[in-house]
Amino acid sequence: MDYFDLHLTREEQLSVSALGLAHLGDGVYELMVRSWLIANGYSKKNNLHRETVSRVRAPYQAAALKRIESLLEKDELAVVHRGRNAHVGNIPKNASRGEYAHATALEALFGYLYLNGRRERLNELFDAIMEGDSDAT
């Protein structure tokens, strides 16, 4: 099995919970952030970890979702809604409940797109997110 190019049947995809999508999407999103940092010259700085963490924290992800929400298609909005309404456990102290819900929604969206092999769409939405990055070089 190629875990970088995972293919599930439609039935298998539908059986993945919103939190399952968010769990997968968290990894996809973080890998994209790390790749973006390297591609934008951050590898020459000493604080790659800090730069990564600042962009994968719930407040940043919540703001990122707001930047792309108007670009989302009907099926993507449905996934965002599922992710936002997922019952999560502990909320990190650096985020409000609302921020965490929106961050979970963004991660669920990225997990959904990844499972559907929609890499071009992932890149399109990620680029739109990073256009709004105040630290972009």
Side-chain angles (χ1 to χ4, degrees):
M1 180 174 283
D2 181 357
Y3 293 103
F4 285 109
D5 192 19
L6 193 58
H7 294 283
L8 299 180
T9 66
R10 183 76 178 138
E11 185 176 295
E12 290 170 325
Q13 288 180 26
L14 291 172
S15 72
V16 178
S17 70
L19 291 179
L21 290 175
H23 179 73
L24 180 61
D26 177 51
V28 172
Y29 179 81
E30 183 168 342
L31 180 58
M32 293 180 85
V33 166
R34 289 171 181 249
S35 297
W36 183 87
L37 289 170
I38 297 300
N40 284 279
Y42 284 84
S43 63
K44 297 177 180 131
K45 296 182 179 181
N46 291 330
N47 296 310
L48 271 175
H49 179 72
R50 188 186 76 216
E51 295 290 344
T52 300
V53 169
S54 73
R55 289 166 179 85
V56 299
R57 292 178 58 188
Y60 186 96
Q61 288 181 333
L65 179 61
K66 287 180 183 166
R67 284 198 291 271
I68 64 168
E69 218 159 6
S70 65
L71 305 174
L72 300 182
E73 299 166 0
K74 187 177 179 179
D75 64 319
E76 296 167 345
L77 286 168
V79 170
V80 164
H81 183 72
R82 279 180 61 203
R84 191 172 43 233
N85 291 334
H87 296 289
V88 296
N90 298 330
I91 308 296
K93 50 187 165 172
N94 69 349
S96 70
R97 181 170 295 285
E99 287 172 329
Y100 198 69
H102 283 86
T104 302
L106 178 72
E107 292 170 348
L109 173 63
F110 274 61
Y112 168 79
L113 293 172
Y114 174 80
L115 278 182
N116 281 281
R118 297 181 58 196
R119 289 171 51 178
E120 187 174 322
R121 183 65 172 154
L122 276 166
N123 285 308
E124 179 183 325
L125 293 175
F126 186 76
D127 283 343
I129 289 169
M130 298 317 284
E131 281 177 18
D133 191 291
S134 62
D135 293 334
T137 56

